[in-house]
Amino acid sequence: MVDIIRALGWSYVSTIASEGSYGEKGVEAFTQLSKEAGGICIAQSLKIPHNPKLEDYDKAIQQLLETQHSRAVIIFASEEDIRGVLNATKRANQVGHFLWIGSDSWGAKSSPIHQLEEVAVGAVTILPKRSSIEGFDEYFTALTLENNRRNVWFAEFWEENFDCRLLSASKREDTSRKCTGQERIGIDSKYEQEGKVQFVIDAVYAMAHALHNMQRDLCPDHPGVCPQMETAEGKTLLKYIRNTSFNGSAGTSVVFNKNGDAPGRYDLFQFQMTNSSTPEYKVVGQWVETLQLRLEELQWPDGEQEVPISVCSLPCKTGERKKRVKGMPCCWHCELCDGYQYQYDETSCRLCAYNMRPNPNRTACQPIPIVKLEWHSPWAIIPVFLAMLGIIATIFVMATFVRYNDTPIVRASGRELSYVLLTGIFLCYIITFLMIAKPDVAVCAFRRIFLGLGMCISYAALLTKTNRIYRIFEQGKQTVTAPRFISPTSQIAITSSLICVQLLGVLVWFAVDPPNTIVDYDEQKTINPMLARGVLKCDITDLQIICSLGYSILLMVTCTIYAIKTRDVPEDFNEAKPIGFTMYTTCIVWLAFIPIFFGTAQSAEKLYIQTTTLTISMNLSASVALGMLYMPKVYIIIFHPELNVQKRKRSFKAVVTAATMSSRLSQKPSERPNGEAKTELCENPAADPMSQATKKTYVSYNNLRI
């Protein structure tokens, strides 16, 4: 029966036993064998008491229904108890719910299921293999009351078989018909050879063989029973019985194992609906040392095609682990392997490696896809578009300056620093392409070099310019002697020294931490592993980016301070005010950049937001400088060449004196020293027609090359 349960794939069954040796011992043996086989759990083990009432059967069915998933029920019960259980099932309206497995007490008998066929459909029963013994029918049907007086129970059998009453000491009161003694078995009553006849005959022969062998060993020289046999214990006789072997009445060998059991040979039946809709038992297999069950011939209640299930818990889905219920190895709860876990075996989940994620069904791990900022991404299109416009504009300005290199406006702008500044602006635009390009060692190295170099070159040149203007006019208030280091060569040297500091820092960075690429799996490690991505990027931290830009920001702030200090210098003599506006706007751009850059450090879109923010900020900074410092000049050079002419030259002394007097004239009379009245410039406008030119704003860069 254990083999049948396992063959049908059932793991959660209940048992019902009639109170007494047969039922209780049978269930006990089944429970023990199921534990040894493993994989079978007993949901409930019920017992039908002696002389049961209807309530006992109904209570048993209600208890079975408490474990709904345990549909298979093993029955070791008498025929009466089998009928009682089937009747209770019908009363509970549970026809077709239970899957009965009956012991040999059920076998292929019709009496336990009479008028309860619909409840018993699908029941699988067992019956020891039996053979009809030749000669027994002739012997048994010839028995009469006269020739079988030695059997004290034969008269009771006679009354029951012929439904009559003997005159002498009859206990039968349910019939008034008198037995004549002329009745014949098989003629006046139905007769079918009992299936256990062969086993009774073999049992008698086993005892006879055991006694014969015992007499031969204990009484070799004595015929019949000797004193040694009379005093022999039962254990001695049992030993001889177990050692007996002979050919039985059915032609099969009769032997006993160490437990005293004969080899099991069973036929397997199932109570099925036939084509004529008349239920009957059908042989569906046999058990001779091993199970031979023809599953394709089985039929189940309600026309089910597949074998019904009788399990405590359904199998877990892929990606789920079993969490077993304590004390019930066949019962479990299914828990999903969540997060980045995968199903290692049926009872455990394991975490994938840091660069892996579970596959869709969570049965294994797979590599996390690696992404980078793509050229077609909206995060890249905008900065690339701005950078391309900036590069075109920068090349146009540079080409214009080279074409008109010897014109007054170009010379007055300080050609050397102008070209340096344009180079820095050009590099600010170029860095956009390096920041979006696919990271590799070369790209990462160029990023480190050019990330801060473009801004450093730009602001180093602007700082040198503003510092020169500041020193010229600050010293002009005290003396007419020109300050030191204001020549173009000196200005280039100062600018180069400032740029070298940035390059030196980059070289140290290269030495301490050589450029390399990494895949960051934490940046886009989302709660849903299917959305997780590894980000391919250069091995540059946010802090390193800020440190690389820090020196350029320091130059920018210093340049802004000088721009503020030179804001009152007359615009006729310098670029202080355009530089000031440039620096104010640039500071606003970078003040907006810093909170955006660091505020998105924990965002899943960190790579895209920070790269786009950084490149747009650099593009805007370069565009502000290009637009405010160069576009007015290019406009005059191209569209108003008549204004790009040489004006009257002044000496350094005259320029400084004019700037000083202009500052004094801007003061209120009460603020002037000694209450001096407003004075005019020493030059007479009438005497010098060219002096009228000083009243026009386009002379800003022509009077002095600074």
Side-chain angles (χ1 to χ4, degrees):
M1 296 177 80
V2 171
D3 288 345
I4 294 173
I5 297 297
R6 298 183 66 184
L8 295 174
W10 297 340
S11 61
Y12 197 49
V13 300
S14 298
T15 63
I16 294 180
S18 292
E19 189 174 12
S21 177
Y22 174 78
E24 294 179 27
K25 292 293 184 182
V27 167
E28 182 181 344
F30 174 82
T31 303
Q32 181 63 33
L33 290 173
S34 64
K35 288 182 179 179
E36 294 175 1
I40 300 176
C41 297
I42 308 300
Q44 297 193 66
S45 189
L46 307 180
K47 187 186 298 184
I48 305 297
H50 287 300
N51 303 318
K53 302 177 182 179
L54 289 179
E55 293 78 6
D56 295 324
Y57 296 120
D58 293 335
K59 180 180 178 182
I61 295 301
Q62 292 304 318
Q63 287 179 300
L64 291 176
L65 291 174
E66 291 176 0
T67 51
Q68 284 280 343
H69 296 298
S70 176
R71 295 181 61 187
V73 181
I74 312 301
I75 296 184
F76 281 89
S78 63
E79 294 183 25
E80 293 77 10
D81 287 341
I82 293 172
R83 285 189 62 83
V85 170
L86 296 180
N87 264 312
T89 303
K90 188 175 182 179
R91 287 194 298 272
N93 196 26
Q94 295 297 324
V95 175
H97 174 75
F98 295 110
L99 308 170
W100 311 106
I101 304 293
S103 65
D104 57 348
S105 64
W106 185 336
K109 298 175 183 177
S110 58
S111 56
I113 60 173
H114 181 59
Q115 295 183 346
L116 295 170
E117 289 82 0
E118 71 276 14
V119 186
V121 168
V124 178
T125 61
I126 64 173
L127 189 65
K129 280 183 172 294
R130 57 187 180 179
S131 299
S132 180
I133 304 301
E134 295 181 5
F136 181 81
D137 294 340
E138 181 181 353
Y139 159 77
F140 192 79
T141 55
L143 291 176
T144 64
L145 291 172
E146 288 78 15
N147 63 18
N148 193 26
R149 294 181 181 276
R150 65 185 179 84
N151 191 333
V152 296
W153 295 286
F154 191 71
E156 184 178 347
F157 163 77
W158 195 271
E159 290 181 326
E160 183 71 27
N161 188 51
F162 294 108
D163 191 25
C164 61
R165 184 180 180 190
L166 293 171
L167 295 178
S168 58
S170 176
K171 297 180 181 180
R172 190 175 178 87
E173 298 179 355
D174 57 346
T175 182
S176 59
R177 182 172 175 270
K178 296 180 181 180
C179 299
T180 64
Q182 301 302 315
E183 296 89 357
R184 291 294 178 263
I185 299 173
I187 297 176
D188 299 316
S189 66
K190 290 183 179 181
Y191 169 75
E192 182 181 358
Q193 186 179 130
E194 168 61 45
K196 295 184 175 63
V197 169
Q198 72 172 95
F199 304 114
V200 175
I201 296 174
D202 290 342
V204 173
Y205 272 104
M207 179 63 74
H209 280 287
L211 289 172
H212 176 75
N213 294 335
M214 184 178 179
Q215 192 274 340
R216 186 184 57 192
D217 293 342
L218 297 180
C219 311
D221 300 325
H222 191 284
V225 178
C226 64
Q228 288 86 346
M229 286 184 66
E230 291 179 350
T231 59
E233 296 181 352
K235 290 183 179 179
T236 303
L237 178 59
L238 179 61
K239 176 182 176 182
Y240 279 98
I241 292 174
R242 289 184 175 180
N243 290 330
T244 297
S245 63
F246 60 93
N247 286 330
S249 58
T252 57
S253 62
V254 177
V255 295
F256 300 95
N257 60 22
K258 62 180 181 179
N259 297 321
D261 297 322
R265 299 183 183 91
Y266 295 91
D267 284 320
L268 308 181
F269 297 87
Q270 188 183 40
F271 192 65
Q272 298 180 350
M273 298 293 292
T274 62
N275 294 333
S276 61
S277 299
T278 302
E280 65 178 17
Y281 291 101
K282 180 181 179 180
V283 178
V284 293
Q286 63 178 355
W287 193 96
V288 181
E289 296 185 357
T290 58
L291 177 67
Q292 301 172 32
L293 180 62
R294 297 186 290 274
L295 293 174
E296 68 279 359
E297 296 183 11
L298 297 178
Q299 296 180 10
W300 303 104
D302 300 327
E304 293 184 61
Q305 299 298 319
E306 301 293 330
V307 177
I309 61 173
S310 181
V311 295
C312 180
S313 302
L314 294 175
C316 293
K317 300 176 182 178
T318 54
E320 295 180 341
R321 73 178 184 93
K322 295 179 180 178
K323 185 178 181 181
R324 299 195 182 277
V325 177
K326 187 176 181 180
M328 293 294 289
C330 301
C331 301
W332 57 81
H333 302 296
C334 295
E335 290 186 350
L336 179 67
C337 296
D338 57 356
Y340 287 80
Q341 294 181 328
Y342 71 99
Q343 184 183 4
Y344 178 71
D345 54 34
E346 67 174 12
T347 60
S348 62
C349 300
R350 287 194 177 181
L351 192 66
C352 291
Y354 76 98
N355 61 338
M356 307 284 280
R357 68 179 184 185
N359 59 13
N361 58 11
R362 294 184 176 273
T363 56
C365 293
Q366 62 184 15
I368 295 177
I370 298 176
V371 299
K372 64 178 185 65
L373 185 56
E374 301 290 345
W375 293 101
H376 56 76
S377 169
W379 296 99
I381 291 176
I382 295 176
V384 167
F385 177 72
L386 294 177
M388 292 180 66
L389 290 180
I391 290 173
I392 294 172
T394 303
I395 294 175
F396 176 74
V397 171
M398 190 173 292
T400 302
F401 267 53
V402 171
R403 171 68 177 81
Y404 298 96
N405 187 58
D406 293 325
T407 60
I409 286 184
V410 175
R411 286 188 289 109
S413 300
R415 287 175 295 186
E416 297 79 4
L417 288 183
S418 292
Y419 291 132
V420 171
L421 180 55
L422 285 172
T423 302
I425 292 173
F426 181 80
L427 293 179
C428 287
Y429 289 124
I430 287 295
I431 192 61
T432 297
F433 299 93
L434 290 175
M435 296 300 293
I436 298 175
K438 181 180 179 180
D440 55 33
V441 175
V443 170
C444 293
F446 282 118
R447 280 188 189 180
R448 292 189 181 190
I449 294 172
F450 293 107
L451 181 61
L453 185 60
M455 290 179 59
C456 177
I457 293 174
S458 301
Y459 298 126
L462 289 175
L463 177 59
T464 303
K465 273 195 174 189
T466 54
N467 174 265
R468 182 187 183 213
I469 295 170
Y470 174 77
R471 289 188 295 116
I472 288 174
F473 288 97
E474 195 64 25
Q475 185 166 334
K477 296 178 182 179
Q478 303 173 3
T479 176
V480 295
T481 305
R484 302 175 59 189
F485 308 117
I486 62 173
S487 65
T489 303
S490 300
Q491 297 298 293
I492 293 297
I494 294 173
T495 302
S496 299
S497 63
L498 293 175
I499 296 172
C500 285
V501 174
Q502 173 74 20
L503 294 176
L504 180 62
V506 172
L507 291 177
V508 173
W509 189 4
F510 273 108
V512 174
D513 183 17
N516 194 15
T517 58
I518 61 170
V519 179
D520 188 349
Y521 291 98
D522 294 326
E523 184 172 314
Q524 293 192 24
K525 203 158 194 176
T526 57
I527 296 177
N528 183 358
M530 292 297 103
L531 301 178
R533 298 291 184 271
V535 180
L536 176 64
K537 60 183 183 180
C538 293
D539 189 12
I540 303 176
T541 64
D542 295 347
L543 181 60
Q544 289 173 334
I545 291 177
I546 296 301
C547 290
S548 178
L549 297 174
Y551 179 65
S552 300
I553 294 175
L554 176 62
L555 294 179
M556 179 182 69
V557 172
T558 307
C559 185
T560 303
I561 294 173
Y562 275 110
I564 294 173
K565 288 185 176 182
T566 59
R567 68 185 183 279
D568 292 331
V569 175
E571 63 178 7
D572 288 354
F573 301 99
N574 64 86
E575 297 177 280
K577 288 186 177 180
I579 292 176
F581 290 140
T582 299
M583 300 316 301
Y584 306 151
T585 307
T586 303
C587 287
I588 293 173
V589 170
W590 287 96
L591 285 175
F593 160 78
I594 293 176
I596 296 175
F597 187 84
F598 287 102
T600 58
Q602 303 301 322
S603 172
E605 305 290 335
K606 172 185 174 182
L607 170 70
Y608 309 127
I609 296 175
Q610 289 189 344
T611 301
T612 302
T613 303
L614 177 61
T615 52
I616 288 180
S617 296
M618 299 190 74
N619 287 339
L620 290 178
S621 300
S623 299
V624 167
L626 187 67
M628 291 190 175
L629 297 179
Y630 290 98
M631 287 307 171
K633 301 174 185 178
V634 172
Y635 177 77
I636 293 176
I637 292 173
I638 296 177
F639 297 104
H640 294 283
E642 71 278 3
L643 301 180
N644 188 14
V645 295
Q646 180 69 40
K647 303 299 180 181
R648 175 172 62 89
K649 291 185 179 181
R650 295 185 180 183
S651 66
F652 174 77
K653 178 179 179 181
V655 170
V656 172
T657 301
T660 304
M661 292 301 296
S662 176
S663 298
R664 291 179 178 178
L665 289 174
S666 64
Q667 296 176 339
K668 297 179 181 180
S670 59
E671 295 175 350
R672 296 171 188 161
N674 301 321
E676 59 181 331
K678 179 179 179 181
T679 60
E680 302 293 337
L681 290 173
C682 297
E683 297 175 281
N684 185 356
D688 187 0
M690 293 299 293
S691 64
Q692 296 295 324
T694 62
K695 298 180 181 180
K696 299 179 181 179
T697 59
Y698 57 74
V699 197
S700 302
Y701 311 105
N702 298 338
N703 293 326
L704 180 64
R705 295 175 60 190
I706 54 177

